Amino acid sequence: MKRLTAPKGWSQLLFAPSPEPWAALRAAAAAGPAATTATLIDAGLRGRGGGGFLTGAKWQSTAAQPSDQRYAVANGYESDPAVFTNRLLMEENPQGVVEGLAIAALTVGAREAFIAVRADYTEAITRLERVIATAQAERILGTSLLGTGRELIITVRPLQGSSMIGEETVLLKALAGKRGQPEQTPPYPSEIGYLGKPTAVNNVATLAAVPWILNNGAVAYSQIGDSNQPGTALVQISGSVAHPGVLEVPTGTPLNEIVAAAGGSAAGATIKALLVGGPTGGFIPANLFGGTPYSGAGLKSVGAHIGSGAMLALDQSVAIPELATMLTRWCADEACGKTIPCRIGTRRLAEIGQRFVDGLASPADADRLQKLAADVSDGALCAHEALAPSPLLTGVRYFASEFGPAVAAPSATPTSGRS
Ligand SMILES: Cc1cc2nc3c(=O)[nH]c(=O)nc-3n(C[C@H](O)[C@H](O)[C@H](O)COP(=O)(O)O)c2cc1C
Ligand code: SF4
């Protein structure tokens, strides 16, 4: 699977290397932090790591903390299994990621910044390091940022471990060489982050949009895609489509257009559902594709979320109860163990799902599933637990007949994005 060519008319800015590298960094240095954050807020740039937080506001908050040291971190860990939108981005536009991070560091007042990457992303690591080394040699980065004498050291930090490392508080601990479990927020990393200092953590796709915004203006960006969450997003569409791969999609694009851009159903297959949002995502039936925009709010309204940008097309050969149960088991296995409703609740949910798969479920199991799913989500310390029930809930909601007579098609609880 690789990057797919987007249909004509779809704005492409994340994958497009800037025609004038470092022009945006120079502009940010000239404009100053207040003007840079104001531009990002006017543009409406929201984080692409799942939570959808306003990037300009996050940087303002980080910059406002009284501290002798602040940090900026690019989250390129990409924790969901078999998803590689961030890897492709770092390979194809490492300049955009490094420049976005340099602008973040400059804006929040950091002298040191890190790009956290999965250790097996060797090609991405090589390309990112090449950009940094060249920029240091040209005195754009390093001991004299843009020749001003101010220091900005950017380092690529390969990490390897569980999927929880993608969560920002765990990521910061992993960077500090510590064992990680998520921390309750607030306080956010913008207040207490890497080594206890204020830290701006952003997904690599969020950062790669920043040079484009500073080069082309807030208005141009705000006019792309969904007005509540403008810009483009990276979507990995795989499974029963003719052309699996990664697409750069204007936010708000209806799901049927994304499927069409991937060539529609694979030969001999008919897509019956999309699993949107990775292993904690939701199943969306084909009859809703046309009316569901690819946006945080649009997906939430049908029980799914953007998450890692993964979209899996499923045809008639896939049994939804089986897949939903397997995903729930994955969530249980990945739970870090800190929160009891997550550690134990997700495992019990998987057991209920298995009874449906085995044809042994009773109507009481259908009830239990709904109640336990609500308890698990309510008890969430991090979004892993808040979202873990989504596959089973949306499976039951939209594919009740596959779960057998024990299910009377109850409705799924809407989910939130990971944060
Ligand atoms: C279980 C879990 C896994 C996550 N994995 C990732 C990840 O792989 N990449 C990422 O950028 N954010 C991930 N996040 C979100 C981060 O905690 C954080 O919100 C994000 O990196 C902030 O960047 P943004 O403001 O650009 O979205 C995850 C969150 C949770 C709860
Ligand atoms: S909700 Fe789950 S994954 Fe998140 S901190 Fe608690 S046990 Fe760990």
Side-chain angles (χ1 to χ4, degrees):
M1 273 204 290
K2 53 184 177 194
R3 180 150 76 89
L4 302 175
T5 310
K8 267 205 171 79
W10 283 15
S11 301
Q12 302 286 283
L13 53 103
L14 296 175
F15 276 125
S18 168
E20 250 191 284
W22 309 114
L25 178 62
R26 288 197 175 87
T36 303
T37 51
T39 301
L40 296 183
I41 290 169
D42 288 348
L45 176 64
R46 291 187 176 275
R48 297 303 195 245
F53 201 75
L54 270 178
T55 305
K58 185 185 280 190
W59 293 6
Q60 271 178 347
S61 162
T62 312
Q65 306 301 320
S67 180
D68 57 341
Q69 176 66 296
R70 297 184 196 85
Y71 296 95
V73 173
N75 188 346
Y77 185 72
E78 196 154 45
S79 59
D80 274 3
V83 182
F84 54 84
T85 60
N86 287 181
R87 174 172 67 71
L88 268 190
L89 176 67
M90 291 185 282
E91 287 176 2
E92 292 205 18
N93 189 10
Q95 164 73 33
V97 174
V98 175
E99 189 169 358
L101 181 61
I103 295 167
L106 181 72
T107 307
V108 305
R111 293 189 299 272
E112 220 181 324
F114 306 106
I115 308 178
V117 190
R118 297 180 81 100
D120 53 339
Y121 284 5
T122 50
E123 188 57 35
I125 292 169
T126 303
R127 293 185 189 191
L128 290 163
E129 286 181 336
R130 200 178 295 146
V131 171
I132 295 167
T134 307
Q136 282 177 351
E138 292 172 359
R139 289 172 61 83
I140 292 166
L141 300 178
T143 49
S144 183
L145 174 72
L146 297 172
T148 58
R150 183 197 151 152
E151 189 178 58
L152 175 53
I153 307 295
I154 298 187
T155 321
V156 180
R157 295 285 304 275
L159 299 172
Q160 201 75 59
S162 86
S163 68
M164 293 313 299
I165 292 182
E167 195 278 337
E168 57 190 5
T169 63
V170 182
L171 187 85
L172 296 176
K173 287 186 206 170
L175 284 172
K178 294 186 186 148
R179 177 174 173 266
Q181 285 181 315
E183 289 299 322
Q184 184 96 45
T185 49
Y188 295 101
S190 56
E191 300 153 274
I192 300 177
Y194 181 65
L195 304 180
K197 305 289 184 184
T199 306
V201 183
N202 285 107
N203 177 262
V204 286
T206 314
L207 292 168
V210 171
W212 194 95
I213 294 170
L214 298 190
N215 287 331
N216 295 275
V219 173
Y221 188 80
S222 68
Q223 287 171 348
I224 299 170
D226 182 317
S227 58
N228 290 320
Q229 189 183 10
T232 59
L234 303 180
V235 177
Q236 177 176 315
I237 180 156
S238 58
S240 293
V241 285
H243 306 299
V246 174
L247 278 162
E248 184 172 350
V249 171
T251 55
T253 303
L255 300 184
N256 61 336
E257 290 184 26
I258 299 176
V259 172
S265 298
T270 304
I271 297 173
K272 70 171 178 183
L274 289 170
L275 173 71
V276 183
T280 59
F283 295 105
I284 304 174
N287 65 315
L288 295 183
F289 293 175
T292 307
Y294 191 79
S295 66
L299 292 173
K300 188 175 177 182
S301 71
V302 292
H305 62 101
I306 289 181
S308 57
M311 194 181 271
L312 182 65
L314 308 166
D315 65 26
Q316 302 299 338
S317 68
V318 177
I320 299 286
E322 213 166 310
L323 180 54
T325 300
M326 191 197 81
L327 295 168
T328 312
R329 204 175 301 120
W330 181 87
C331 288
D333 289 346
E334 289 297 308
C336 77
K338 188 169 183 173
T339 326
I340 292 168
C342 178
R343 187 177 72 223
I344 298 174
T346 48
R347 199 152 296 284
R348 294 290 95 86
L349 272 178
E351 288 165 5
I352 296 172
Q354 191 59 45
R355 287 203 286 279
F356 281 102
V357 172
D358 295 338
L360 300 173
S362 64
D365 279 321
D367 251 19
R368 250 180 234 125
L369 192 154
Q370 296 295 326
K371 286 192 186 117
L372 183 56
D375 287 348
V376 164
S377 288
D378 285 351
L381 174 63
C382 81
H384 179 78
E385 180 182 6
L387 299 170
S390 307
L392 276 171
L393 285 177
T394 51
V396 163
R397 178 178 182 178
Y398 298 119
F399 297 92
S401 63
E402 291 194 31
F403 283 77
V407 168
S411 61
T413 311
T415 55
S416 62
R418 67 185 183 184
S419 60

